Amino acid sequence: MNRSLHAQIVALIWATADDVLRDLYVRGKYRDVILPFTVLRRLDSVLEPTIDNVIRTKTALDEAGIVNQDAPLRDAAGQDFYNTSGFTLRDLRSVSSAARLRLDFEAYLDGFSPNVQEILDNFEFRNQLPRLTKADALGTLIERFLDPDLDLSPSGLDNHAMGTVFEELVRRFNEENNEEAGEHWTPRDAVRLMTRLVFEPIADTIQSGSYLLYDGAMGTGGMLTVAEETLQQLTLVRGKRVKTHLFGQEINAETYAIAKADLILKGEGQAADNVIGGPEWSTLSNDAFASREFDFMLSNPPYGKSWKTDQERMGGAKNIRDPRFVVEHAGDPEFSLVTRSSDGQMMFLANLISKMKHHTELGSRIAEVHNGSSLFTGDAGQGESNIRRWIIENDWLEAIVALPLKMFYNTGIATYVWVLSNRKEERRQGKIQLIDATEWFTPLRKNLGDKGVELAAGDIDRILKTFAAFDKAADPDHAKIFENRDFGYSKIVVERPLRILGAEEGRVYRPAEIKFLKETGTRDESAPAIIRKVLPSNTEAAPLLGRFEALVDGKTRVVQYEPDSDLRDSEQVPLNEPAGEFADGIEAFFRREVQPYAPDAWIDEAKTKIGYEISFTRHFYKPTPMRTLAEIQADIRALEAETDDLIAELAGGAE
């Protein structure tokens, strides 16, 4: 497409918004009218040549009493959409009465096919008609969009060029609304990185055929379309022919309308039918593709955003039975991936993983953006930690890339791209690559909201080169390889016995007596431990696990002490803790770090839980070099000299 023509058309549409809507809407709301009007003008010009055929077909279908008319009307129009109103925008141009124009225009809108109706409804475009009619601006808009210089017809713009124009308008409107942009618009440099991380590592093994692409937090659909373009380019140069099918889901109505409209404008009507959205279509509580599996998946889910409403729709946190979020793992048939309601971003990743293909040669690949909390929030056994454990113990995590700060439009926080695959190449199996790309960026000449930097082509190339080098990357300051177990730990609960002043040594206390002692007694470190249970005579003592030998009724028995909740503590023991001379790493840790300071302590084995967390800060921490003594002395001398000058100046002024 001619770049100057592209810029000219965008400028003309932008000027139309400024000229016609300036006194009717605040600048940030122009898009409520201009985006749907741009869609209408393009669809109108595409349908003009076949409108008579559509009307004849509609009449014949009605006379024949055929109810399901969508497919034959699409055939009559030669498109994946149609209009049965009998009107075109050129017909409406000649209507002089504002009231009559509104009626005819509404009839024109009502004549569009269901897929276009869905776009209009989610844009809430009909809600703009009263204001436009009252200001007599509807006719002016039609006139401006029919200007020969603003040619949106197929003869002026092919489908790809039209899609590019529409995406440029969306981008400009998003930049006008910086506070909202990041919620639905992922910067293209981040998208390009993600798509390359998904496709390039396996580009040579992708064969000719059909592939399904999915985004569970679709926004305006940019990730899907860029992913499609990237896959086509990579396979074309390798002599492969691939067909792609796009699938997506988006809860925000306007954003969904933009995504669906963009696909229709690009001539991808089938793909437009495969994207689902609107307020009732939350990905977490209303999965539109429950039975689908996909080859490639990319997402930028909302982070730091409550999903409490979804949780309630699903029956509450403890009653969720969705197989995406309650799985079988580590011998637990109901292993919960349900996170806290305050932040559901990891749930979106679990949703993608649930749609992986496990019976194909390539399996599935995933790239998803998260903020830093996904790396470490959630205690062992909680949803966030369980998701990390589930991913890592299944060996699906290939790499995590730390992005530069100020990458996104509405936040300057740290962000990370997670790259997953269920077909890891042999050298990556059992390992995870961390890449610190926070210093690899190009500053923008002008900030776009909070976005102050971008990943230029060279920056993305550098990340991809580091990713591909894996353990051969000669840059330990920015790339490190770890064993999966390096990120896991056992959270152990350390108990100590309840000791109450005046308690009888060797006596076994009943539960009611223990309760009374807790409520009325005085704790004393020198008092005997309270015995709550005598174990069977064949039980072996194991003080590490709370089975102690004690004299009961003059006989040595194995007993359990009542734990003192005030002395209860927990410790995190790395899964890779060396066992040394002991049975395992937990015992080695306990005997080294706990027992010397609390000889009567034990581990409540039933409460031990496995957790996982990933700390970029710990692994890539660069300590600030200590200042030399000479530098400190020089600073002191400079301060002394400055102080002497000030004193002299004050003394001189006093004279």
Side-chain angles (χ1 to χ4, degrees):
M1 177 185 176
N2 185 303
R3 286 185 176 273
S4 62
L5 176 60
H6 162 264
Q8 176 188 337
I9 291 173
V10 171
L12 283 170
I13 296 175
W14 199 257
T16 296
D18 242 0
D19 295 345
V20 181
L21 304 179
R22 179 184 294 274
D23 298 324
L24 289 177
Y25 294 83
V26 296
R27 194 176 181 87
K29 291 294 184 180
Y30 287 178
R31 66 183 185 187
D32 294 352
V33 174
I34 294 302
L35 291 180
F37 231 101
T38 302
V39 174
L40 287 174
R41 178 63 191 116
R42 173 64 174 192
L43 301 186
D44 185 80
S45 62
V46 170
L47 293 174
E48 269 190 305
T50 59
I51 188 154
D52 291 338
N53 190 34
V54 169
I55 298 303
R56 286 194 298 270
T57 303
K58 171 66 173 169
T59 301
L61 292 170
D62 288 343
E63 290 175 350
I66 296 175
V67 177
N68 298 322
Q69 301 182 356
D70 189 66
L73 289 174
R74 289 191 185 202
D75 290 340
Q79 305 292 337
D80 286 311
F81 52 90
Y82 51 86
N83 189 308
T84 60
S85 70
F87 289 113
T88 67
L89 287 179
R90 295 189 190 280
D91 297 328
L92 300 174
R93 181 186 208 172
S94 59
V95 179
S96 56
S97 165
R100 183 66 196 176
L101 175 59
R102 177 179 172 180
L103 289 173
D104 289 350
F105 189 74
E106 287 177 333
Y108 169 72
L109 296 181
D110 293 343
F112 274 106
S113 50
N115 54 353
V116 178
Q117 293 294 341
E118 194 174 6
I119 293 171
L120 296 173
D121 290 345
N122 281 286
F123 269 130
E124 299 184 351
F125 180 56
R126 288 180 176 84
N127 294 349
Q128 312 305 324
L129 297 184
R131 181 185 294 193
L132 294 173
T133 302
K134 188 175 181 180
D136 201 19
L138 183 57
T140 306
L141 274 173
I142 293 173
E143 188 71 35
R144 290 292 294 266
F145 270 88
L146 290 172
D147 188 324
D149 291 334
L150 184 53
D151 185 3
L152 300 184
S153 69
S155 60
L157 294 172
D158 61 22
N159 288 331
H160 179 75
M162 183 64 228
T164 304
V165 166
F166 189 71
E167 287 182 1
E168 177 65 12
L169 285 172
V170 172
R171 184 190 67 79
R172 290 189 64 170
F173 281 124
N174 275 326
E175 288 177 7
E176 288 290 320
N177 294 274
N178 284 322
E179 74 281 359
E180 301 174 23
E183 294 184 16
H184 312 298
W185 182 260
T186 306
R188 282 304 166 91
D189 51 333
V191 176
R192 283 192 291 269
L193 170 64
M194 292 171 67
T195 55
R196 290 184 62 183
L197 285 168
V198 165
F199 297 121
E200 285 194 17
I202 60 166
D204 292 333
T205 61
I206 297 176
Q207 301 300 313
S208 298
S210 294
Y211 295 93
L212 307 185
L213 282 63
Y214 170 73
D215 185 345
M218 179 178 60
T220 55
M223 279 198 186
L224 286 174
T225 54
V226 173
E228 181 179 46
E229 292 169 5
T230 304
L231 179 58
Q232 294 284 358
Q233 291 167 1
L234 287 173
T235 52
L236 185 63
V237 298
R238 290 168 171 79
K240 308 296 183 183
R241 296 176 64 86
V242 301
K243 183 176 179 58
T244 53
H245 301 281
L246 308 183
F247 295 80
Q249 189 165 346
E250 170 59 38
I251 190 172
N252 181 274
E254 183 191 36
T255 308
Y256 164 61
I258 290 171
K260 194 174 186 77
D262 186 39
L263 291 170
I264 285 181
L265 294 180
K266 289 177 176 174
E268 299 187 36
Q270 185 179 2
D273 291 339
N274 289 336
V275 296
I276 306 295
E280 72 277 21
W281 285 105
S282 171
T283 299
L284 299 185
S285 60
N286 192 8
D287 183 8
F289 304 103
S291 61
R292 288 275 190 177
E293 294 179 339
F294 302 96
D295 300 285
F296 305 106
M297 293 171 269
L298 307 95
S299 276
N300 177 14
Y303 26 84
K305 184 177 179 182
S306 170
W307 67 285
K308 187 173 181 60
T309 301
D310 284 303
Q311 197 177 85
E312 291 171 351
R313 287 174 182 166
M314 299 166 77
K318 295 182 179 180
N319 296 314
I320 292 176
R321 293 293 178 266
D322 191 312
R324 294 176 295 168
F325 310 125
V326 179
V327 300
E328 183 174 350
H329 182 69
D332 183 353
E334 295 189 356
F335 189 76
S336 176
L337 308 179
V338 178
T339 67
R340 292 166 296 175
S341 62
S342 58
D343 188 354
Q345 60 178 304
M346 291 291 280
M347 301 280 282
F348 282 87
L349 183 55
N351 170 62
L352 297 189
I353 294 171
S354 74
K355 301 182 186 305
M356 277 183 157
K357 288 186 173 182
H358 294 279
H359 305 292
T360 62
E361 186 176 347
L362 290 180
S364 297
R365 291 184 63 79
I366 292 172
E368 185 161 278
V369 182
H370 289 274
N371 68 7
S373 67
S374 290
L375 299 171
F376 53 80
T377 54
D379 202 355
Q382 292 184 333
E384 295 90 343
S385 180
N386 277 358
I387 291 175
R388 291 189 293 269
R389 179 185 177 187
W390 180 54
I391 290 170
I392 293 174
E393 290 186 354
N394 278 296
D395 201 19
W396 292 328
L397 183 59
E398 283 193 347
I400 299 178
V401 181
L403 299 178
L405 301 177
K406 298 184 178 296
M407 268 283 296
F408 289 77
Y409 294 117
N410 68 341
T411 179
I413 63 173
T415 50
Y416 303 80
V417 176
W418 292 52
V419 183
L420 285 75
S421 169
N422 58 355
R423 292 291 186 275
K424 277 188 177 183
E425 55 182 311
E426 187 175 352
R427 62 176 179 157
R428 289 185 180 273
Q429 290 174 9
K431 296 180 172 61
I432 297 170
Q433 182 180 22
L434 300 186
I435 299 175
D436 179 8
T438 54
E439 299 174 345
W440 300 343
F441 60 82
T442 302
L444 292 176
R445 286 177 293 179
K446 179 184 177 184
N447 280 18
L448 299 174
D450 286 313
K451 184 174 175 61
V453 304
E454 67 176 350
L455 295 175
D459 301 317
I460 295 176
D461 287 342
R462 188 174 184 180
I463 294 171
L464 265 295
K465 182 179 179 181
T466 303
F467 179 90
F470 190 56
D471 53 1
K472 299 295 190 295
D475 190 356
D477 290 336
H478 295 93
K480 298 179 186 293
I481 308 299
F482 298 91
E483 299 288 332
N484 287 350
R485 288 174 59 84
D486 292 342
F487 301 109
Y489 63 89
S490 297
K491 181 183 178 181
I492 61 172
V493 174
V494 178
E495 302 280 17
R496 294 185 63 194
L498 178 67
R499 298 178 184 274
I500 300 294
L501 189 65
E504 298 178 35
E505 189 165 5
R507 177 184 169 186
V508 181
Y509 285 83
R510 295 190 301 273
E513 293 175 316
I514 293 174
K515 181 180 179 183
F516 179 77
L517 287 174
K518 286 181 178 179
E519 293 173 350
T520 62
T522 301
R523 286 170 169 78
D524 188 333
E525 285 285 327
S526 62
I530 302 294
I531 300 173
R532 69 171 181 175
K533 186 176 184 181
V534 176
L535 298 175
S537 57
N538 60 348
T539 303
E540 291 187 11
L544 181 73
L545 302 178
R547 299 194 292 271
F548 296 90
E549 288 186 337
L551 283 175
V552 178
D553 296 331
K555 296 180 181 180
T556 301
R557 300 294 301 272
V558 176
V559 303
Q560 287 181 340
Y561 295 132
E562 176 68 21
D564 187 341
S565 59
D566 289 349
L567 299 178
R568 182 174 295 144
D569 200 0
S570 64
E571 299 282 354
Q572 289 188 3
V573 183
L575 293 185
N576 56 10
E577 178 77 25
E581 61 185 292
F582 301 104
D584 54 33
I586 291 178
E587 182 178 354
F589 176 91
F590 184 84
R591 295 194 183 281
R592 184 183 72 247
E593 302 292 340
V594 178
Q595 209 167 48
Y597 313 101
D600 58 356
W602 74 90
I603 299 170
D604 187 340
E605 198 172 29
K607 295 179 180 176
T608 298
K609 294 181 179 179
I610 303 297
Y612 279 80
E613 64 180 27
I614 302 168
S615 174
F616 261 80
T617 304
R618 182 168 71 246
H619 297 307
F620 291 99
Y621 175 68
K622 299 181 180 69
T624 304
M626 296 288 289
R627 300 174 66 204
T628 64
L629 183 60
E631 290 173 328
I632 296 171
Q633 289 174 333
D635 283 350
I636 292 173
R637 292 193 190 99
L639 288 171
E640 288 175 342
E642 185 178 343
T643 303
D644 291 342
D645 290 343
L646 287 172
I647 292 172
E649 187 177 327
L650 289 170
E655 294 177 0

